[in-house]
Amino acid sequence: MRQTTASTCCYCGVGCGVLIEHDETRIFDVAGDPDHPANFGRLCSKGSTLHLTGDLDARALHPELRLGKQLGRTRTDWDSALEHAAEIFAETILEHGPDSVAFYISGQLLTEDYYAFNKLARALVGTNNIDSNSRLCMSSAVVGYKRSLGADAPPCAYEDIEQSHCVLIAGSNMAYAHPVLFRRLEEAKARRPEMNIIVIDPRRTDTAGLADLHLAIRPGTDVALFHGLLHLLIRDDRLDQAFIEAHTQGFDALKVLAEEYTPTIVAELCGISVEALQRCARMIGSAPSFLSLWCMGLNQSTSGSAKNSALINLHLATGQIGRPGAGPFSLTGQPNAMGGRETGSLSNLLPGHREAGDPQHRAEVAEHWGVKQLPTSAGLSAIELFEAVGDGRIKALWIACTNPAQSLPNQQKVHQALAACPFVVVQEAFFTTETCRYADLLLPAVSWGEKEGTVTNSERRVSHVRRAIAAPGEARPDWAIACDFARRLERRLRPGQPSLFAFEDPEALFEEYKPLTRYRDLDLSGLSYRLLDERGPQQWPFPRDSSTGTVRLYRDGVFPTEDGRARFIAEAFQASEQDCDTRFPLVLNTGRLRDQWHGMSRTGTAARLFGHEEAAVLSLHPDEMRRRRLQDGQLVRVDSRRGSLILPARQDESLQHGQAFLPMHWGDRFLRGLGINVLTQASFDPLSRQPALKQAGVQVEAVELPWPFFALVEGQVQHRFEALRPLFEGFEYASFSLAGRDRAALVIRAATRSVPDAELLKVIDRLLNLAEGPVLAYDDAHRSVGKRVRLEHGRIVALRLAGETAASQWLKSLWLDGEIDPDLRRWLLAPLSTAPHGKRVENDRTLCNCMNIGQAAVHAGIAQGLDLAGLKQRLGCGTSCGSCVPEIKRLLAQAEAPIRV
Ligand code: SF4
């Protein structure tokens, strides 16, 4: 029987509520929860397609064990799998010490999962070697909040976005990365056009399209900019002296530092005009309320902590904190990175916003857990942890719900480390991730819709995540796997003692965890699953006996520091570590796309989500393209000090000279060559230890690969993907994607220097279902050109072009339309390789995923004089989730722009 379960979206830190329609075994649909205060019923293109993702063919369904690095994994049962893991971990710990093992976990885990892993690592194993992929995402914000305000607590609420008079967005393409919040901002701006929006971003993103002022600063110069703004606020007497005197300390030192950041110097450093800088300072200084939002552009930097503190300085100096519409507000990347920070899931933290390096904090947690002591040695952060795996210090590694073989920088090193590690356990929902290849033990975990627990979103709001359907195969909840393993390990490490992991369900973990937050800044002691069910999601602190959560922090100007005062941080701007030089002259920035999420383990299973961007493409300023004599779509080789990639390039006027951009999502699975992060650098911020994923020096040059290949095949997409991918190892370029809406197809684009072996093509054809049956074929051995199309029931179901691919878009459009062009047979059986005359089809990106509207239709509507309202009315685009609206506005603006001559 169909029913609806209220839960949350599993992607970003907005933490939208979703209503899952299901019958306890299958999920049929998803809708925004109108009662959830994060989204009030809205969902973005990712959230609204959740039910289309998570293809069972990509799911890990049974434990699998490998008993030798040269061997394949074979299916095993849970009991054998966890006994084996416990045996190896125990032996390693007893022989090499507790710091010879490590846990690398994820911002996608639920709070209860995190808590179980933390207790396992620190109380049982006795190591602080537990870090999470939040290290790549939010750790600079954590340092920023702690240093400036005394606790890792974002002080604002989403309603502040709607109430603010001036919103500054720094280093965040919020339109793509936090779309539902961006919708709320767009609506607020439409209601109150006098609201000022400032966007600081080297790229002119869709977010910048909403800005009254866009400062396209040089990458990495944010600290200079913020100090320059402070300089002007001081000069123009725009400070809140009463607030500074009553609630802060350290302003005098900062004032001296800010004197050096004159408008001329700052404008020069940042590559902007003095007028723009002054206008920005005026907007901030005159605003009754000033809110700042930021994300990876500040955090993923070797000066990420300094950037965070310099921005918070502006709020403290103007008293813009603890009031409606005001405050510094980080946009959390992952759905429960906040829960990870709360439970101590970075190596330097402990549960309840405590410090692993603080003896008092260690004693408090040890007492709560009933153990003598917690480990004193410093734990390794993500980059250091994988270095230690690489050099043999870590001998057993447990990875849960994350994909380091895609997401960490400097992937050559990461892949080498994983290959060399004596024992790698991967606890994953999808067996297809790059990291799973290295698993000696693969443990199937439940995924979205199948698990219960809690999450905290960016505004400190805790939601009850409810299970809708049963887990597929033998998949188990992450907390249950961690606790089952822990019970087996404690029988070996502390035999005869009562178990620390006798948890029956996630609620038991939550109940044990929440006293650790009592009387602390994040006090959750008043929350329970029951209360969340009765009263809905709540913002912490929510102390025992309270009737409601806390919308906004620091309303009284008292901060969780020893003296109750916030701190000004006076740190000079330091140019980031230079990865660029004459050999690698371009700065490579990486970031998100609208419809993909992280390493694509989930979104990469939904064909519809490839409609907007089908493949990884390097974006360059048109002048950089011209300088290298590159055409749109031409293959280029991108080199950094650490590795290289081959992929197509395209011009993009949103970038500045000297800059390049790549989407962060593509790993080795979808793009041959270890993925985007083979290029990025592992240098990290000295305080937050967050790597500078957004600033790599690269060199770009055209590459000649004269033998191209294109294929499309529908049916059994995941199986075909797994079987075909290894066959393209010998190709210099190979990109895999999905296409379609009602029917899904695997699409392969590849190119190589020399014609591949005929036998390899035969194998590929067999896997493409093109070796026999109703297949039309043409081969020209002399030109090494061949084409094959399989027709069934009057339509194309598979095709491939080899040696010449000029007709690929035309054929793909025929497949999408499900019709047979009368010219197809004639074309197929003749030497002609381009599409027949008049049939040339350009790749038409899907702009609006909800209504399936392509860019061509929008362009045509604009050419007929339609505005946004007219396009919405005529085509329906932008009327559902709204994720495409910023791009449609951009196309409208481009159409209005004067033609340059
Ligand atoms: Fe999910 Fe989109 Fe909401 Fe983020 S904004 S939680 S991805 S629906």
Side-chain angles (χ1 to χ4, degrees):
M1 197 180 70
R2 290 211 181 191
Q3 53 190 284
T4 301
T5 298
S7 195
T8 60
C9 174
C10 60
Y11 293 124
C12 83
V14 178
C16 295
V18 297
L19 298 176
I20 306 173
E21 190 187 330
H22 63 95
D23 66 357
E24 294 188 353
T25 52
R26 280 180 56 207
I27 292 174
F28 300 104
D29 207 351
V30 65
D33 183 349
D35 295 328
H36 198 291
N39 56 318
F40 297 111
R42 300 175 188 88
L43 290 178
C44 73
S45 54
K46 293 184 284 286
S48 59
T49 49
L50 268 167
H51 59 297
L52 304 175
T53 60
D55 190 337
L56 269 187
D57 285 347
R59 292 293 299 274
L61 299 174
H62 312 282
E64 290 178 6
L65 179 62
R66 174 184 8 238
L67 290 170
K69 288 285 183 195
Q70 306 311 317
L71 303 174
R73 285 193 307 262
T74 53
R75 182 171 167 175
T76 185
D77 57 81
W78 273 106
D79 194 46
S80 310
L82 292 180
E83 278 299 305
H84 182 78
E87 192 63 39
I88 293 196
F89 266 71
E91 276 173 12
T92 309
I93 292 162
L94 293 172
E95 192 175 336
H96 302 284
D99 288 338
S100 63
V101 306
F103 299 85
Y104 187 59
I105 58 177
S106 164
Q108 313 269 314
L109 290 174
L110 304 184
T111 296
E112 293 73 5
D113 305 324
Y114 276 127
Y115 181 72
F117 270 110
N118 264 285
K119 193 172 179 187
L120 161 61
R122 308 202 204 243
L124 176 58
V125 174
T127 183
N128 285 316
N129 285 344
I130 175 165
D131 212 51
S132 121
N133 59 13
S134 299
R135 182 71 68 181
L136 313 182
C137 171
M138 298 310 294
S139 54
S140 294
V142 174
V143 172
Y145 283 131
K146 279 165 48 175
R147 282 204 305 175
S148 298
L149 308 179
D152 174 22
C156 307
Y158 292 161
E159 64 188 53
D160 289 319
I161 293 172
E162 286 145 351
Q163 294 169 1
S164 184
H165 292 84
C166 179
V167 178
L168 180 148
I169 305 167
S172 159
N173 186 8
M174 193 181 168
Y176 279 15
H178 299 92
V180 165
L181 285 188
F182 192 69
R183 292 290 87 72
R184 290 178 71 165
L185 179 65
E186 276 178 329
E187 286 164 18
K189 174 77 176 165
R191 276 195 305 273
R192 294 189 296 114
E194 69 279 10
M195 164 196 246
N196 276 322
I197 298 177
I198 304 161
V199 171
I200 299 166
D201 196 315
R203 289 194 300 148
R204 198 174 67 247
T205 59
D206 279 0
T207 305
L210 191 66
D212 299 283
L213 176 63
H214 172 212
L215 299 181
I217 61 170
R218 285 203 180 92
T221 57
D222 312 70
V223 171
L225 176 74
F226 298 146
H227 288 344
L229 290 170
L230 183 66
H231 177 104
L232 288 170
L233 291 168
I234 295 170
R235 189 195 72 183
D236 298 342
D237 199 15
R238 296 282 193 180
L239 305 186
D240 185 338
Q241 288 294 353
F243 184 88
I244 293 171
E245 276 158 34
H247 302 296
T248 68
Q249 65 158 258
F251 185 66
D252 291 345
L254 179 63
K255 193 174 172 190
V256 171
L257 179 72
E259 276 169 20
E260 297 167 22
Y261 292 81
T262 62
T264 318
I265 288 174
V266 170
E268 174 70 20
L269 279 171
C270 297
I272 57 173
S273 68
V274 170
E275 292 70 32
L277 180 70
Q278 288 170 332
R279 191 167 162 225
C280 185
R282 270 198 308 277
M283 283 179 171
I284 294 170
S286 62
S289 57
F290 162 53
L291 182 79
S292 59
L293 304 168
W294 73 94
C295 199
M296 299 311 142
L298 295 200
N299 294 345
Q300 289 180 335
S301 161
T302 50
S303 54
S305 301
K307 290 181 185 184
N308 273 265
S309 293
L311 178 56
I312 297 174
N313 283 342
L314 296 180
H315 286 276
L316 296 176
T318 51
Q320 294 278 12
I321 188 166
R323 307 196 267 112
F329 195 4
S330 56
L331 298 172
T332 320
Q334 301 193 72
N336 198 28
M338 287 281 287
R341 288 142 68 177
E342 291 155 25
T343 50
S345 298
L346 292 173
S347 56
N348 51 309
L349 304 178
L350 287 176
H353 281 177
R354 289 178 175 83
E355 299 296 314
D358 183 322
Q360 173 68 25
H361 287 180
R362 287 200 302 272
E364 287 165 6
V365 178
E367 187 187 354
H368 186 70
W369 283 343
V371 295
K372 261 198 228 134
Q373 58 181 30
L374 294 189
T376 53
S377 54
L380 297 168
S381 66
I383 301 296
E384 301 162 301
L385 191 154
F386 278 84
E387 278 170 10
V389 173
D391 65 26
R393 279 175 287 151
I394 301 292
K395 299 170 198 319
L397 174 64
W398 194 294
I399 299 166
C401 197
T402 183
N403 188 13
Q406 185 277 333
S407 55
L408 284 169
N410 199 357
Q411 278 293 319
Q412 293 279 18
K413 283 261 174 74
V414 177
H415 281 252
Q416 283 163 7
L418 285 167
C421 185
F423 188 56
V424 179
V425 181
V426 181
Q427 179 172 323
E428 239 309 333
F430 297 93
F431 77 88
T432 48
T433 74
E434 288 82 352
T435 304
C436 285
R437 278 181 233 156
Y438 296 99
D440 298 298
L441 179 62
L442 178 64
L443 301 174
V446 295
S447 188
W448 173 80
E450 302 155 4
K451 58 200 297 187
E452 186 185 19
T454 53
V455 290
T456 311
N457 72 4
S458 294
E459 62 168 353
R460 295 169 281 106
R461 189 178 295 278
V462 180
S463 294
H464 186 187
V465 177
R466 298 180 189 87
R467 186 179 69 83
I469 59 169
E474 296 176 28
R476 297 177 68 186
D478 290 287
W479 68 267
I481 300 171
C483 291
D484 191 350
F485 167 72
R487 287 191 292 270
R488 295 166 195 267
L489 187 62
E490 64 187 355
R491 286 204 291 273
R492 290 166 169 87
L493 296 183
R494 50 198 306 274
Q497 297 188 50
S499 176
L500 300 172
F501 295 89
F503 300 104
E504 294 275 307
D505 51 31
E507 191 171 7
L509 283 148
F510 186 78
E511 288 300 314
E512 182 182 296
Y513 158 60
K514 74 183 188 190
L516 279 168
T517 66
R518 186 122 205 249
Y519 304 125
R520 299 196 56 81
D521 67 288
L522 74 166
D523 199 332
L524 304 171
S525 60
L527 289 181
S528 65
Y529 281 18
R530 190 165 153 203
L531 185 140
L532 293 171
D533 291 343
E534 287 172 0
R535 293 197 227 159
Q538 300 293 331
Q539 286 175 280
W540 58 251
F542 196 112
R544 200 184 286 174
D545 302 326
S546 18
S547 56
T548 178
T550 310
V551 176
R552 216 165 272 111
L553 304 181
Y554 316 134
R555 299 188 73 126
D556 53 3
V558 177
F559 294 86
T561 54
E562 276 173 17
D563 56 7
R565 288 169 175 268
R567 283 15 181 187
F568 284 103
I569 305 293
E571 276 172 347
F573 163 68
Q574 290 188 329
S576 3
E577 273 179 41
Q578 272 303 326
D579 200 46
C580 292
D581 59 16
T582 47
R583 270 177 64 219
F584 303 102
L586 296 168
V587 184
L588 175 69
N589 184 1
T590 60
R592 289 169 201 274
L593 294 181
R594 191 190 76 186
D595 294 348
Q596 293 293 347
W597 175 254
H598 279 192
M600 300 159 75
S601 53
R602 174 175 279 281
T603 50
T605 64
R608 195 189 288 190
L609 294 176
F610 285 89
H612 189 237
E613 293 288 350
E614 191 180 344
V617 175
L618 179 83
S619 300
L620 289 172
H621 187 276
D623 289 347
E624 301 292 352
M625 294 282 286
R626 269 193 291 276
R627 191 169 301 148
R628 292 165 177 80
R629 297 177 200 282
L630 297 173
Q631 303 294 320
D632 268 355
Q634 191 174 342
L635 288 175
V636 293
R637 182 187 166 100
V638 189
D639 288 296
S640 79
R641 283 166 222 282
R642 296 155 290 276
S644 58
L645 263 189
I646 291 177
L647 76 179
R650 75 165 162 230
Q651 61 174 341
D652 183 343
E653 294 203 7
S654 74
L655 294 175
Q656 318 240 346
H657 293 99
Q659 296 174 16
F661 177 80
L662 273 174
M664 61 178 272
H665 310 285
W666 272 263
D668 187 43
R669 178 167 155 75
F670 290 94
L671 177 66
R672 211 192 85 65
L674 300 190
I676 304 306
N677 282 316
V678 76
L679 302 169
T680 52
Q681 57 170 328
S683 305
F684 53 73
D685 179 276
L687 299 176
S688 70
R689 303 192 175 272
Q690 179 159 354
L693 278 155
K694 292 175 89 65
Q695 269 178 277
V698 295
Q699 150 80 331
V700 175
E701 62 183 15
V703 64
E704 281 301 314
L705 299 176
W707 199 86
F709 178 94
F710 175 84
L712 178 154
V713 57
E714 67 175 56
Q716 298 183 306
V717 164
Q718 294 298 335
H719 286 303
R720 289 189 207 279
F721 192 176
E722 292 309 308
L724 280 158
R725 209 193 63 84
L727 302 180
F728 287 83
E729 288 296 322
F731 285 61
E732 281 84 359
Y733 169 67
S735 162
F736 304 85
S737 60
L738 308 187
R741 287 179 73 84
D742 307 326
R743 294 169 289 127
L746 173 68
V747 178
I748 305 170
R749 287 189 165 77
T752 184
R753 208 154 265 135
S754 47
V755 180
D757 191 89
E759 284 307 309
L760 175 66
L761 259 189
K762 281 188 192 159
V763 178
I764 290 172
D765 280 345
R766 258 202 308 280
L767 291 167
L768 289 170
N769 208 12
L770 288 167
E772 54 187 26
V775 175
L776 298 173
Y778 172 87
D779 287 299
D780 180 344
H782 182 64
R783 290 195 300 138
S784 304
V785 164
K787 33 188 175 175
R788 288 205 175 4
V789 173
R790 184 182 189 92
L791 299 170
E792 285 181 10
H793 309 298
R795 60 180 188 81
I796 295 172
V797 295
L799 65 98
R800 74 104 166 122
L801 303 172
E804 170 56 65
T805 58
S808 58
Q809 285 306 337
W810 171 57
L811 292 170
K812 188 177 158 210
S813 73
L814 291 183
W815 172 78
L816 276 168
D817 294 344
E819 290 168 10
I820 294 298
D821 189 305
D823 287 330
L824 177 65
R825 280 172 197 274
R826 201 161 2 110
W827 174 84
L828 255 169
L829 301 173
L832 183 67
S833 22
T834 54
H837 185 64
K839 308 264 175 175
R840 210 179 147 77
V841 177
E842 297 302 329
N843 189 15
D844 186 22
R845 302 163 70 216
T846 310
L847 222 61
C848 172
N849 243 325
C850 304
M851 310 306 280
N852 192 25
I853 305 298
Q855 187 167 292
V858 173
H859 273 307
I862 293 172
Q864 289 166 18
L866 295 179
D867 60 6
L868 181 60
L871 290 165
K872 282 183 173 181
Q873 195 181 19
R874 165 106 46 104
L875 303 173
C877 54
T879 55
S880 184
C881 80
S883 296
C884 60
V885 170
E887 191 165 352
I888 296 173
K889 282 186 184 164
R890 180 156 48 81
L891 295 179
L892 281 161
Q894 280 169 1
E896 279 171 15
I899 297 166
R900 286 197 209 137
V901 286

